[in-house]
Amino acid sequence: MIRLFDLSLQLNGFPIKKAKAELDKIVRFSEEEFTSFLENKKKEIVDFHLKKNPFYAELAGKATAEDWENLPILNKQNLQKPLEERLSKGYFKKNVYLNKTSGSSGTPFVFAKDKYSHALTWASNIMRFGWFGIDFNHSYQARFYGIPMDFIGYKKERFKDFLTHRFRFPVFDLSDEILEKFLQKFKTKKFDYINGYTSSIVLFAKYLEQKNIVLNETCPTLKACFVTSEMLFETDKKLLEKQFGIPIISEYGASELDLIAFENPEGEWQVNAETLFVEILDENNNHVPHGTEGKIVITSLFNKANPFIRYEIGDIGILDEKSTPQKPILKKLVGRTNDVAILPSGKKSPGLTFYYVTKSIIEDDGNVKEFIIKQTKIDTFEIEYIAESELVSEQIQKIQEAIDLYLEPNLNFTFTRKIVLERTNRGKLKQFKSYL
């Protein structure tokens, strides 16, 4: 049978066969071999960026790979400059994988991965989903995600859905009428698994609960549900298990990196130690003992296009006491929650919908540095932002058009430029907050 998913990666310049072979080799290392591999990769990636990336070399100063703990902690503000100024020598927009972060932390930016690094990301995804009997080449995915609403972006995303054997349920409108249509699809299509934003999938489960329906009785082919991008609370997990009748697996990732942690078949949140090096640090950037809370700092071991070395992702976490370098276990993650917006028409839209709205103001010129959105009334929202200059009327008009398209017309938005934005006591921005 044709392996369409692998083929599409290969045709787009992502060497998936080579990546799968390397990942397979890494996971088979003995403990001693893995320790040697990790130290070599850390040194190799730092040395590469010190020599080939002027942006990182300037940031690092005199620090070297041998002096790991004196390497700078990279943050999202460091990365908010034009991509051309951050790319390593030999890498250009035309020969890398490009994307934007979702801005869920309130600090969006454009990033690049070299094509081999991105192939390793997919190899890692394929391996972990495979733990639960999911094969991207053949398994049919029910995808609860956003989708671009412009004609070309929409068609492109739908074509990608076809190639990757998935059916998309857009999450911009999660009213009961739409959720009923979702349910009807599960009656007629043989889905193997569900994947998507936690809050959207939870809203669907609540709808099923109201109707006293268990999803795998409606769609018996379902094997598992994978939730991402937002925190999965224990009460919600129990609801999903009850209403779906299948295992619920939680993943934690970042588009600019990789899957960071993925729930394994033993129910542990296993950290991706094959392509990433994860550290937990205190406020003074010192390592904390396993079992102690601290900020999550991550090094991408393979990405040569764009340095992510000791990168502070903006989340707080705890590594389990039983963690080893080869098999770190994430005991707890603090953050990654998103409120749901309730709109005058009755629509319910998850906070991540606002990624598609605010994308209009996320330009690679670095003007808008940070933003948060507050819902103060059912039809009223406030956008507070930090920028080098005020948004002009043309930009606001563009944002308003995106709001009309992705949410609904006749919503009132105010825009306020700030010197500083309100943060949680953890120092993290919450991009969307409902005060209803």
Side-chain angles (χ1 to χ4, degrees):
M1 187 182 289
I2 190 165
R3 300 180 68 81
L4 196 57
F5 186 84
D6 285 8
L7 182 63
S8 67
L9 287 172
Q10 205 76 38
L11 291 174
N12 280 294
F14 303 113
I16 190 65
K17 287 182 184 176
K18 182 182 173 186
K20 282 182 175 182
E22 176 150 17
L23 189 68
D24 188 57
K25 182 181 172 186
I26 295 168
V27 298
R28 292 176 189 274
F29 281 151
S30 67
E31 193 173 334
E32 187 178 341
E33 287 171 331
F34 183 83
T35 300
S36 175
F37 154 79
L38 179 59
E39 291 309 310
N40 287 339
K41 288 307 293 183
K42 285 163 62 181
K43 183 178 187 308
E44 183 183 307
I45 199 68
V46 171
D47 286 346
F48 178 88
H49 284 299
L50 287 174
K51 290 173 186 171
K52 300 284 189 179
N53 194 290
F55 159 76
Y56 186 72
E58 183 183 351
L59 206 64
K62 294 182 180 179
T64 66
E66 285 76 15
D67 191 16
W68 184 265
E69 299 204 1
N70 280 327
L71 288 169
I73 303 298
L74 192 65
N75 60 41
K76 296 184 181 186
Q77 286 77 15
N78 297 143
L79 299 167
Q80 286 187 298
K81 52 173 61 186
L83 183 64
E84 290 85 351
E85 294 177 24
R86 293 183 273 119
L87 285 171
S88 301
K89 291 174 184 175
Y91 292 97
F92 309 94
K93 284 186 174 181
K94 64 183 179 184
N95 68 352
V96 297
Y97 168 77
L98 284 177
N99 207 343
K100 285 185 173 81
T101 63
S102 70
S104 61
S105 64
T107 314
F109 60 90
V110 176
F111 66 89
K113 286 183 183 179
D114 66 82
K115 293 204 168 184
Y116 183 61
S117 172
H118 192 57
L120 274 168
T121 293
W122 276 115
S124 175
N125 273 279
I126 289 164
M127 179 184 77
R128 284 167 167 79
F129 277 77
W131 292 345
F132 297 90
I134 301 303
D135 176 350
F136 285 0
N137 286 289
H138 309 302
S139 300
Y140 195 21
Q141 179 190 144
R143 187 172 183 82
F144 284 69
Y145 267 74
I147 190 167
M149 298 294 275
D150 63 284
F151 180 79
I152 293 173
Y154 182 88
K155 292 295 184 186
K156 186 178 176 182
E157 209 63 30
R158 286 294 189 192
F159 183 61
K160 280 165 63 178
D161 288 343
F162 167 75
L163 289 177
T164 50
H165 204 43
R166 62 199 189 198
F167 182 88
R168 188 178 300 242
F169 295 91
V171 298
F172 301 125
D173 182 356
L174 295 170
S175 55
D176 285 357
E177 182 184 356
I178 298 298
L179 292 174
E180 178 59 32
K181 290 179 180 177
F182 287 6
L183 177 58
Q184 294 308 313
K185 290 292 182 187
F186 279 91
K187 290 179 179 178
T188 58
K189 293 184 177 290
K190 294 182 178 180
F191 292 116
D192 292 290
Y193 67 112
I194 297 169
N195 187 20
Y197 299 153
T198 307
S199 60
S200 308
I201 293 171
V202 168
L203 280 173
F204 184 48
K206 287 178 178 175
Y207 178 74
L208 295 176
E209 185 180 39
Q210 287 171 17
K211 301 201 71 165
N212 199 26
I213 290 171
V214 176
L215 194 59
N216 77 332
E217 293 174 2
T218 298
C219 183
T221 52
L222 276 177
K223 297 184 184 76
C225 170
F226 303 86
V227 294
T228 189
S229 293
E230 301 152 315
M231 187 77 84
L232 176 63
F233 295 103
E234 193 58 36
T235 51
D236 288 337
K237 184 173 185 177
K238 287 176 180 173
L239 171 72
L240 292 176
E241 287 171 341
K242 175 171 166 275
Q243 296 308 139
F244 290 176
I246 52 177
I248 309 300
I249 298 99
S250 190
E251 64 174 55
Y252 166 45
S255 56
E256 66 270 35
L257 296 167
D258 261 325
L259 277 177
I260 299 167
F262 196 91
E263 195 174 333
N264 65 25
E266 289 74 49
E268 302 165 319
W269 232 4
Q270 187 171 329
V271 172
N272 169 8
E274 295 83 32
T275 71
L276 303 176
F277 173 58
V278 175
E279 302 172 85
I280 308 290
L281 306 181
D282 66 18
E283 57 187 16
N284 298 313
N285 297 328
N286 299 314
H287 286 101
V288 301
H290 290 344
T292 306
E293 187 178 285
K295 59 186 181 182
I296 299 175
V297 172
I298 301 176
T299 298
S300 179
L301 296 171
F302 288 90
N303 190 359
K304 293 182 175 179
N306 198 153
F308 287 99
I309 296 168
R310 307 201 84 198
Y311 166 59
E312 187 178 336
I313 193 167
D315 290 328
I316 304 292
I318 301 171
L319 283 181
D320 199 286
E321 291 84 347
K322 65 186 176 187
S323 295
T324 66
Q326 195 168 14
K327 190 181 176 183
I329 302 297
L330 189 63
K331 186 175 184 177
K332 184 182 178 185
L333 177 67
V334 180
R336 291 257 163 155
T337 56
N338 283 69
D339 287 342
V340 173
I342 299 170
L343 305 178
S345 67
K347 263 193 190 183
K348 296 174 186 174
S349 290
L352 276 173
T353 303
F354 287 89
Y355 160 53
Y356 293 89
V357 176
T358 53
K359 197 173 181 182
S360 311
I361 59 173
I362 302 169
E363 301 295 347
D364 198 21
D365 61 9
N367 180 39
V368 176
K369 298 293 186 184
E370 295 178 325
F371 60 87
I372 55 176
I373 301 170
K374 301 176 179 178
Q375 184 176 16
T376 54
K377 299 176 184 174
I378 197 160
D379 64 348
T380 305
F381 298 80
E382 297 175 2
I383 295 182
E384 297 179 354
Y385 66 96
I386 296 175
E388 292 173 9
S389 58
E390 292 269 1
L391 291 175
V392 297
S393 58
E394 290 84 356
Q395 290 171 302
I396 290 172
Q397 176 64 30
K398 189 178 175 187
I399 297 164
Q400 193 65 56
E401 287 170 2
I403 289 163
D404 290 352
L405 182 63
Y406 288 107
L407 297 166
E408 62 185 53
N410 304 317
L411 297 176
N412 301 309
F413 276 72
T414 59
F415 300 85
T416 309
R417 187 176 166 212
K418 295 272 190 175
I419 303 298
V420 65
L421 295 179
E422 178 187 346
R423 281 178 152 78
T424 68
N425 58 4
R426 301 286 181 191
K428 184 173 180 179
L429 285 175
K430 189 168 185 185
Q431 187 191 5
F432 176 75
K433 175 72 177 172
S434 173
Y435 290 90
L436 297 188

